[in-house]
PDB file of all heavy atoms in Angstrom:
ATOM      1  N   PHE A 605      28.596  -2.352   2.795  1.00  0.00           N
ATOM      2  CA  PHE A 605      27.883  -1.663   1.726  1.00  0.00           C
ATOM      3  C   PHE A 605      27.020  -0.526   2.236  1.00  0.00           C
ATOM      4  O   PHE A 605      26.247  -0.696   3.175  1.00  0.00           O
ATOM      5  CB  PHE A 605      27.000  -2.634   0.932  1.00  0.00           C
ATOM      6  CG  PHE A 605      27.752  -3.337  -0.144  1.00  0.00           C
ATOM      7  CD1 PHE A 605      28.463  -4.472   0.135  1.00  0.00           C
ATOM      8  CD2 PHE A 605      27.771  -2.837  -1.428  1.00  0.00           C
ATOM      9  CE1 PHE A 605      29.181  -5.113  -0.845  1.00  0.00           C
ATOM     10  CE2 PHE A 605      28.493  -3.468  -2.423  1.00  0.00           C
ATOM     11  CZ  PHE A 605      29.199  -4.610  -2.127  1.00  0.00           C
ATOM     12  N   ILE A 606      27.160   0.623   1.585  1.00  0.00           N
ATOM     13  CA  ILE A 606      26.240   1.738   1.804  1.00  0.00           C
ATOM     14  C   ILE A 606      25.596   2.134   0.478  1.00  0.00           C
ATOM     15  O   ILE A 606      24.710   2.960   0.424  1.00  0.00           O
ATOM     16  CB  ILE A 606      26.939   2.957   2.447  1.00  0.00           C
ATOM     17  CG1 ILE A 606      28.110   3.421   1.594  1.00  0.00           C
ATOM     18  CG2 ILE A 606      27.370   2.622   3.860  1.00  0.00           C
ATOM     19  CD1 ILE A 606      28.724   4.733   2.052  1.00  0.00           C
ATOM     20  N   GLY A 607      26.055   1.501  -0.600  1.00  0.00           N
ATOM     21  CA  GLY A 607      25.500   1.719  -1.935  1.00  0.00           C
ATOM     22  C   GLY A 607      25.419   0.384  -2.654  1.00  0.00           C
ATOM     23  O   GLY A 607      25.755  -0.658  -2.090  1.00  0.00           O
ATOM     24  N   ASN A 608      24.992   0.415  -3.908  1.00  0.00           N
ATOM     25  CA  ASN A 608      24.833  -0.835  -4.652  1.00  0.00           C
ATOM     26  C   ASN A 608      26.151  -1.447  -5.103  1.00  0.00           C
ATOM     27  O   ASN A 608      26.180  -2.575  -5.569  1.00  0.00           O
ATOM     28  CB  ASN A 608      23.925  -0.630  -5.865  1.00  0.00           C
ATOM     29  CG  ASN A 608      22.473  -0.649  -5.476  1.00  0.00           C
ATOM     30  OD1 ASN A 608      22.104  -1.179  -4.446  1.00  0.00           O
ATOM     31  ND2 ASN A 608      21.635  -0.058  -6.296  1.00  0.00           N
ATOM     32  N   GLY A 609      27.242  -0.743  -4.965  1.00  0.00           N
ATOM     33  CA  GLY A 609      28.534  -1.278  -5.349  1.00  0.00           C
ATOM     34  C   GLY A 609      29.644  -0.370  -4.861  1.00  0.00           C
ATOM     35  O   GLY A 609      29.393   0.671  -4.253  1.00  0.00           O
ATOM     36  N   PHE A 610      30.870  -0.768  -5.106  1.00  0.00           N
ATOM     37  CA  PHE A 610      32.003   0.098  -4.797  1.00  0.00           C
ATOM     38  C   PHE A 610      33.082  -0.093  -5.854  1.00  0.00           C
ATOM     39  O   PHE A 610      33.133  -1.107  -6.539  1.00  0.00           O
ATOM     40  CB  PHE A 610      32.562  -0.152  -3.389  1.00  0.00           C
ATOM     41  CG  PHE A 610      33.166  -1.519  -3.169  1.00  0.00           C
ATOM     42  CD1 PHE A 610      34.506  -1.757  -3.452  1.00  0.00           C
ATOM     43  CD2 PHE A 610      32.400  -2.554  -2.675  1.00  0.00           C
ATOM     44  CE1 PHE A 610      35.060  -2.999  -3.257  1.00  0.00           C
ATOM     45  CE2 PHE A 610      32.949  -3.813  -2.466  1.00  0.00           C
ATOM     46  CZ  PHE A 610      34.279  -4.034  -2.756  1.00  0.00           C
ATOM     47  N   TYR A 611      33.906   0.913  -5.987  1.00  0.00           N
ATOM     48  CA  TYR A 611      34.957   0.885  -7.000  1.00  0.00           C
ATOM     49  C   TYR A 611      36.185   0.194  -6.429  1.00  0.00           C
ATOM     50  O   TYR A 611      36.734   0.590  -5.408  1.00  0.00           O
ATOM     51  CB  TYR A 611      35.316   2.306  -7.446  1.00  0.00           C
ATOM     52  CG  TYR A 611      36.285   2.327  -8.596  1.00  0.00           C
ATOM     53  CD1 TYR A 611      35.884   1.937  -9.869  1.00  0.00           C
ATOM     54  CD2 TYR A 611      37.599   2.725  -8.418  1.00  0.00           C
ATOM     55  CE1 TYR A 611      36.775   1.944 -10.931  1.00  0.00           C
ATOM     56  CE2 TYR A 611      38.496   2.746  -9.473  1.00  0.00           C
ATOM     57  CZ  TYR A 611      38.076   2.355 -10.725  1.00  0.00           C
ATOM     58  OH  TYR A 611      38.962   2.360 -11.774  1.00  0.00           O
ATOM     59  N   TYR A 612      36.612  -0.862  -7.102  1.00  0.00           N
ATOM     60  CA  TYR A 612      37.782  -1.634  -6.694  1.00  0.00           C
ATOM     61  C   TYR A 612      38.949  -1.197  -7.576  1.00  0.00           C
ATOM     62  O   TYR A 612      39.025  -1.571  -8.743  1.00  0.00           O
ATOM     63  CB  TYR A 612      37.482  -3.122  -6.841  1.00  0.00           C
ATOM     64  CG  TYR A 612      38.589  -4.044  -6.375  1.00  0.00           C
ATOM     65  CD1 TYR A 612      39.222  -3.858  -5.159  1.00  0.00           C
ATOM     66  CD2 TYR A 612      38.986  -5.112  -7.167  1.00  0.00           C
ATOM     67  CE1 TYR A 612      40.221  -4.709  -4.741  1.00  0.00           C
ATOM     68  CE2 TYR A 612      39.992  -5.972  -6.753  1.00  0.00           C
ATOM     69  CZ  TYR A 612      40.603  -5.751  -5.538  1.00  0.00           C
ATOM     70  OH  TYR A 612      41.606  -6.601  -5.114  1.00  0.00           O
ATOM     71  N   ARG A 613      39.837  -0.395  -7.019  1.00  0.00           N
ATOM     72  CA  ARG A 613      40.914   0.225  -7.804  1.00  0.00           C
ATOM     73  C   ARG A 613      41.862  -0.783  -8.431  1.00  0.00           C
ATOM     74  O   ARG A 613      42.337  -0.580  -9.539  1.00  0.00           O
ATOM     75  CB  ARG A 613      41.710   1.188  -6.926  1.00  0.00           C
ATOM     76  CG  ARG A 613      40.951   2.421  -6.596  1.00  0.00           C
ATOM     77  CD  ARG A 613      41.802   3.409  -5.819  1.00  0.00           C
ATOM     78  NE  ARG A 613      40.958   4.514  -5.415  1.00  0.00           N
ATOM     79  CZ  ARG A 613      41.073   5.156  -4.294  1.00  0.00           C
ATOM     80  NH1 ARG A 613      42.009   4.833  -3.428  1.00  0.00           N
ATOM     81  NH2 ARG A 613      40.259   6.153  -4.009  1.00  0.00           N
ATOM     82  N   VAL A 614      42.176  -1.857  -7.722  1.00  0.00           N
ATOM     83  CA  VAL A 614      43.135  -2.833  -8.220  1.00  0.00           C
ATOM     84  C   VAL A 614      42.706  -3.362  -9.590  1.00  0.00           C
ATOM     85  O   VAL A 614      43.507  -3.479 -10.500  1.00  0.00           O
ATOM     86  CB  VAL A 614      43.314  -3.999  -7.217  1.00  0.00           C
ATOM     87  CG1 VAL A 614      44.160  -5.109  -7.800  1.00  0.00           C
ATOM     88  CG2 VAL A 614      43.920  -3.479  -5.915  1.00  0.00           C
ATOM     89  N   GLU A 615      41.424  -3.676  -9.733  1.00  0.00           N
ATOM     90  CA  GLU A 615      40.915  -4.206 -11.001  1.00  0.00           C
ATOM     91  C   GLU A 615      40.181  -3.158 -11.820  1.00  0.00           C
ATOM     92  O   GLU A 615      39.674  -3.459 -12.901  1.00  0.00           O
ATOM     93  CB  GLU A 615      40.006  -5.407 -10.743  1.00  0.00           C
ATOM     94  CG  GLU A 615      40.781  -6.572 -10.165  1.00  0.00           C
ATOM     95  CD  GLU A 615      39.971  -7.844 -10.125  1.00  0.00           C
ATOM     96  OE1 GLU A 615      38.935  -7.933 -10.806  1.00  0.00           O
ATOM     97  OE2 GLU A 615      40.395  -8.768  -9.412  1.00  0.00           O
ATOM     98  N   GLN A 616      40.111  -1.941 -11.312  1.00  0.00           N
ATOM     99  CA  GLN A 616      39.452  -0.821 -11.985  1.00  0.00           C
ATOM    100  C   GLN A 616      38.043  -1.191 -12.449  1.00  0.00           C
ATOM    101  O   GLN A 616      37.685  -1.041 -13.613  1.00  0.00           O
ATOM    102  CB  GLN A 616      40.292  -0.297 -13.149  1.00  0.00           C
ATOM    103  CG  GLN A 616      41.619   0.245 -12.687  1.00  0.00           C
ATOM    104  CD  GLN A 616      42.427   0.836 -13.820  1.00  0.00           C
ATOM    105  OE1 GLN A 616      42.122   0.673 -14.992  1.00  0.00           O
ATOM    106  NE2 GLN A 616      43.472   1.551 -13.459  1.00  0.00           N
ATOM    107  N   GLN A 617      37.260  -1.675 -11.485  1.00  0.00           N
ATOM    108  CA  GLN A 617      35.877  -2.023 -11.799  1.00  0.00           C
ATOM    109  C   GLN A 617      35.000  -1.829 -10.570  1.00  0.00           C
ATOM    110  O   GLN A 617      35.491  -1.786  -9.448  1.00  0.00           O
ATOM    111  CB  GLN A 617      35.767  -3.462 -12.293  1.00  0.00           C
ATOM    112  CG  GLN A 617      36.122  -4.514 -11.251  1.00  0.00           C
ATOM    113  CD  GLN A 617      35.920  -5.924 -11.777  1.00  0.00           C
ATOM    114  OE1 GLN A 617      35.314  -6.133 -12.809  1.00  0.00           O
ATOM    115  NE2 GLN A 617      36.424  -6.908 -11.054  1.00  0.00           N
ATOM    116  N   ILE A 618      33.706  -1.720 -10.817  1.00  0.00           N
ATOM    117  CA  ILE A 618      32.748  -1.617  -9.731  1.00  0.00           C
ATOM    118  C   ILE A 618      32.330  -3.031  -9.346  1.00  0.00           C
ATOM    119  O   ILE A 618      31.995  -3.843 -10.205  1.00  0.00           O
ATOM    120  CB  ILE A 618      31.523  -0.779 -10.148  1.00  0.00           C
ATOM    121  CG1 ILE A 618      31.962   0.661 -10.405  1.00  0.00           C
ATOM    122  CG2 ILE A 618      30.428  -0.852  -9.089  1.00  0.00           C
ATOM    123  CD1 ILE A 618      30.891   1.566 -10.941  1.00  0.00           C
TER     124      ILE A 618
END
Side-chain angles (χ1 to χ4, degrees):
F605 275 85
I606 57 172
N608 280 338
F610 65 88
Y611 186 71
Y612 183 47
R613 288 185 186 145
V614 172
E615 294 190 16
Q616 298 183 348
Q617 65 177 347
I618 295 175

